[in-house]
Amino acid sequence: MIRLAQNWADYEVIATGDGYKLERWKEVYLLRPDPQVIWKSERDLFAYPKLNAVYRRSEKGGGSWEYRKPMPSEWNITYRNLTFKVKPMGFKHTGLFPEQAVNWDRMSELIRNANRPIKVLNLFAYTGGATVACAAAGAEVVHVDAAKGMVERAGENARLSGITSGIRYIVDDCMKFVRREIRRGNKYDAIIMDPPSYGRGPNGEMWKIEDGLFSFAQLCAEVLSENPLFYLINSYTTGLQPAVLNNILSLCLKGRTGKIESYEVGLPTGEGICLPCGAGGMYLNDYQSGR
């Protein structure tokens, strides 16, 4: 099953092909590499007349932006009642993953319908798309990321969306933070985990998702409350299928009643196809799933 983020007005994938996706971010047009795009393009994407910038990969690793037309260094885009800052950064990123809107919508609905206070732990929380969505729906959120600049951007995104309270921002290694929360006895009604494929901690610790995800998901299960609302794991790693996330959640939460939804996330494109953008696995307990 694939869930499409198809409710955007300020963002769209215009075309894809030859390893690239052509996108509109409000009034700015970007061409960025995408490893999933292994098909041929129906047209020359590099010749698109409105194109503002292209991200070119380097044979030595990394890459850089090539600017074609004048454009702002940063600008805002809106999704429903949420506003986010967009800024082209290193390694082709813009500070936002539009496909995650499907998860923002699902989590917001769950929080609004819970009819009780919900405390959310967002790990590897980046610039706070999920944090802002959950806070806007009424949850109290603890936002954790090891990159200070990304945490600062998350605060800015929250303020742009009119959120001035209800979020606690933590600059820390996610695993170390969770271990401290276990020792403190702190519990959460919902967990969001969005780990990178590879990473390095502040003291040089290496993270590889295939090696570390299961044990970390087990660790995080220890901070779930007795009556949790949901537990979401996102993965952008190409090799991890939705069934893998399903299995991880099933094993980590063995003994808890409820259901698990596993799915691909994607974006509709101008060619009338779907661009796959990763996988999600979400646990819902019996209370919330209506079983």
Side-chain angles (χ1 to χ4, degrees), residues 1-2 6 10 29 37 42 61 70 77 91 102 105 112 116 118 131 138-140 158 204 252 261 268 272 283 287:
M1 177 176 66
I2 188 160
Q6 50 191 352
D10 281 359
Y29 296 82
V37 181
E42 296 178 344
I77 68 171
F91 199 63
V102 294
D105 287 346
R112 285 194 298 267
R116 58 187 173 104
I118 298 297
T131 292
E140 176 186 345
C252 290
E261 302 171 349
Y283 162 82
Y287 172 84

Side-chain angles (χ1 to χ4, degrees), residues 168-181:
R168 179 185 173 204
Y169 301 97
I170 306 291
V171 179
D172 200 355
D173 176 82
C174 289
M175 188 170 295
K176 291 179 180 179
F177 178 80
V178 171
R179 285 176 175 153
R180 286 200 303 275
E181 291 294 86

Side-chain angles (χ1 to χ4, degrees), residues 95-191:
L96 195 67
F97 294 94
E99 70 276 1
Q100 287 301 311
V102 294
N103 286 325
W104 304 340
D105 287 346
R106 181 70 167 128
M107 292 184 293
S108 297
E109 177 188 27
L110 291 169
I111 291 165
R112 285 194 298 267
N113 293 336
N115 297 317
R116 58 187 173 104
I118 298 297
K119 187 177 180 181
V120 176
L121 175 61
N122 189 8
L123 299 166
F124 308 99
Y126 196 48
T127 59
T131 292
V132 174
C134 290
E140 176 186 345
V141 185
V142 175
H143 174 109
V144 186
D145 198 284
K148 182 179 179 181
M150 296 301 100
V151 175
E152 290 173 348
R153 176 75 66 83
E156 187 170 358
N157 283 333
R159 291 188 291 273
L160 286 171
S161 297
I163 300 167
T164 57
S165 62
I167 303 174
R168 179 185 173 204
Y169 301 97
I170 306 291
V171 179
D172 200 355
D173 176 82
C174 289
M175 188 170 295
K176 291 179 180 179
F177 178 80
V178 171
R179 285 176 175 153
R180 286 200 303 275
E181 291 294 86
I182 292 171
R183 292 195 297 269
R184 294 165 179 152
N186 289 336
K187 299 290 183 179
Y188 295 86
D189 303 298
I191 293 174

Side-chain angles (χ1 to χ4, degrees), residues 56-69:
R56 299 266 193 184
R57 288 200 182 278
S58 169
E59 294 180 358
K60 299 178 181 179
S64 60
W65 288 95
E66 172 190 303
Y67 294 96
R68 301 283 189 87
K69 288 178 178 284

